[in-house]
Amino acid sequence: MSRLAPEGTVLCALSDLEATGAKGLFVGEGESRQNIFVVREGDGVFGYVNSCPHIGVPLEFEPDEFISEFGGEILCSTHGARFRIEDGYCVSGPCSGDALEPVAVKVDGENVVMA
Ligand code: FES
C-alpha cells in the first residue's frame, strides 16, 4: 500500500467522481510525486497507482476514463486488461493474476482524502 501524502490530504471532491466514476490526479511532492486514480463504487472509494502491471503505462487514454464501458471493472485502455475495483486484481488480459498497486484513500465528508 503506497503512502504518498499525509493522512487526511484532500485528493479531490467526491463529486469529481460523478462523471466517469473515477478521477486521475497527482499526489506527493518532488521525486515521490505520483500519478494515481481514485474510483468510486457504491459508498466506497478505492485508490491505485496509475500504472498498468503489464508494461507500466497509465491506464486511461481519455481523462478520468478508468472504468469499463459496462461498469464494474477498471479497464486498461492500452491492451484491455480488466481489474476488480475493490482490490485491483487483474481478472483478464495480458497481466491476468497481477494487481494494481493500491493507495489508501477514504471518504471524508464531501472529499476523498488519503487514509
Ligand atoms: S499496458 Fe495495460 S494491458 Fe497492456
Side-chain angles (χ1 to χ4, degrees), residues 51-59 75-83 90 92-95:
S51 177
C52 182
H54 182 210
I55 57 171
V57 297
L59 277 77
L75 175 69
C76 178
S77 298
T78 301
H79 305 116
R82 292 170 181 271
F83 305 86
C90 182
S92 72
C95 48

Side-chain angles (χ1 to χ4, degrees), residues 38-51:
V38 294
V39 183
R40 183 173 190 177
E41 186 174 60
D43 290 336
V45 290
F46 302 88
Y48 297 101
V49 174
N50 187 11
S51 177

